[in-house]
Amino acid sequence: MNAAIQTRDELLAKIVEQLSTDERFPAAWLTGSYARGQQDAFSDIDITLVVSDEHRDVLCARPWTVSPQTTKERRDLFAAFGEPAILHENNHNAPEGGTFTFVAYAGSAVMVDWILRPLNTALRPGDSHLLWDRVGIPLQSPAEPESLEKQTSEASEIVAFFWMMAAVTVKYLHRGDSIFVNTWLEELAKLVYEVERRVKGQVWEYKGGSFTELAATPDDQTRAVRELCERMENLMPLVKSMGGYVMESPRPVIETLIARAPDHPGDL
């Protein structure tokens, strides 16, 4: 077994051994790559601990929303499994009434997303991997598709944003800024996916990895822009048929920009 995987699995086993009988934590589960069965040597541990009512106010306290530190009580919990070398708390990512803390441990470099959530609002996602449950946490209802009205409105806005950023991407292609261009080729591909999802009436689901491949040369980048524009152009009639608002295809404008190779970078 890969040494990194073995070290991480040993840490997870230690967490389960020590906390599964801890009265503060009646239930726990994994999300992320572990829950999907897709973990590799670089995966972190995404663990949700359900906190009993008696300990909720202390362990789920949120004196700040984003911070380089955590409370003493949570740090003591995390430090029971090694010395935190990197710690960042971001409760924008936390469940209702709970907390989210990223910890990377010294020595092992194992990364853990510690998610604490109070028992009184706890629901377990259907795609999670249960570690223990002494109280019978109910499963969260599957996500339902958004209303047609919302899907249509969002798809229309995404289409408009796509064409604006496609034009901006071509500008930076001419300026030779490959990092900007490749970053936005990826974002443009995500926008196409989001319109496709809404046209099909699908709920959001996690997509791992990149949506695009690295476009190394200007020719590759130009080709990638054109391919993404074609995909979006093909989606626009479907958005319109849903009742959405889309302009006539801006594709000719993008082609005009592509053809406008400047003599000097400042021309664009």
Side-chain angles (χ1 to χ4, degrees):
M1 179 185 292
N2 179 285
I5 295 176
Q6 182 174 352
T7 299
R8 185 190 59 217
D9 288 352
E10 288 173 353
L11 176 61
L12 178 57
K14 184 178 179 181
I15 291 171
V16 173
E17 179 184 8
Q18 293 192 22
L19 299 185
S20 61
T21 57
D22 190 320
E23 55 94 19
R24 297 175 298 173
F25 307 112
W29 54 81
L30 298 174
T31 53
S33 58
Y34 260 98
R36 297 189 299 271
Q38 298 174 343
Q39 68 271 23
D40 57 23
F42 304 99
S43 297
D44 54 9
I45 298 172
D46 301 281
I47 185 167
T48 296
L49 298 177
V50 176
V51 181
S52 63
D53 293 338
E54 303 93 301
H55 299 276
R56 176 186 62 205
D57 291 345
V58 172
L59 284 172
C60 294
R62 291 170 58 164
W64 43 73
T65 300
V66 180
S67 176
Q69 60 182 326
T70 187
T71 63
K72 178 184 182 305
E73 292 78 12
R74 281 198 293 278
R75 196 183 194 288
D76 288 346
L77 168 65
F78 308 148
F81 304 99
E83 178 61 27
I86 304 172
L87 186 151
H88 186 261
E89 192 143 290
N90 186 345
N91 292 319
H92 289 299
N93 297 330
E96 179 186 358
T99 61
F100 179 101
T101 313
F102 169 89
V103 174
Y105 286 97
S108 68
V110 174
M111 296 176 286
V112 181
D113 289 337
W114 290 95
I115 303 161
L116 275 62
R117 64 177 307 157
L119 173 61
N120 65 327
T121 60
L123 294 171
R124 182 166 69 86
D127 58 354
S128 60
H129 175 77
L130 185 65
L131 295 174
W132 69 87
D133 184 356
R134 301 193 301 272
V135 293
I137 302 295
L139 282 173
Q140 184 176 313
S141 299
E144 296 184 359
E146 299 163 334
S147 68
L148 178 61
E149 181 181 4
K150 186 173 182 182
Q151 289 174 345
T152 302
S153 173
E154 291 178 344
S156 299
E157 188 279 326
I158 294 170
V159 169
F161 183 65
F162 170 93
W163 290 109
M164 178 182 76
M165 291 312 303
V168 173
T169 299
V170 173
K171 178 168 68 172
Y172 281 87
L173 190 161
H174 285 311
R175 287 175 173 170
D177 192 338
S178 291
I179 293 175
F180 183 98
V181 172
N182 276 281
T183 298
W184 271 97
L185 288 174
E186 176 72 6
E187 293 303 316
L188 292 172
K190 291 178 183 177
L191 294 173
V192 171
Y193 164 76
E194 288 299 330
V195 175
E196 289 174 341
R197 180 174 72 79
R198 286 165 172 81
V199 165
K200 295 174 182 177
Q202 297 174 337
V203 299
W204 180 89
E205 61 180 31
Y206 174 80
K207 297 285 185 183
S210 300
F211 285 70
T212 56
E213 296 181 357
L214 179 67
T217 68
D219 285 346
D220 291 337
Q221 294 162 11
T222 301
R223 189 178 306 112
V225 169
R226 284 179 165 142
E227 289 174 356
L228 289 167
C229 288
E230 181 176 0
R231 288 174 61 190
M232 184 60 83
E233 190 175 43
N234 291 337
L235 288 168
M236 290 169 66
L238 300 176
V239 175
K240 192 171 183 178
S241 70
M242 294 167 63
Y245 175 81
V246 294
M247 301 178 68
E248 293 301 318
S249 175
R251 183 109 179 253
V253 173
I254 303 301
E255 290 297 333
T256 297
L257 290 171
I258 288 173
R260 188 187 294 169
D263 295 326
H264 304 285
D267 289 348
L268 287 175

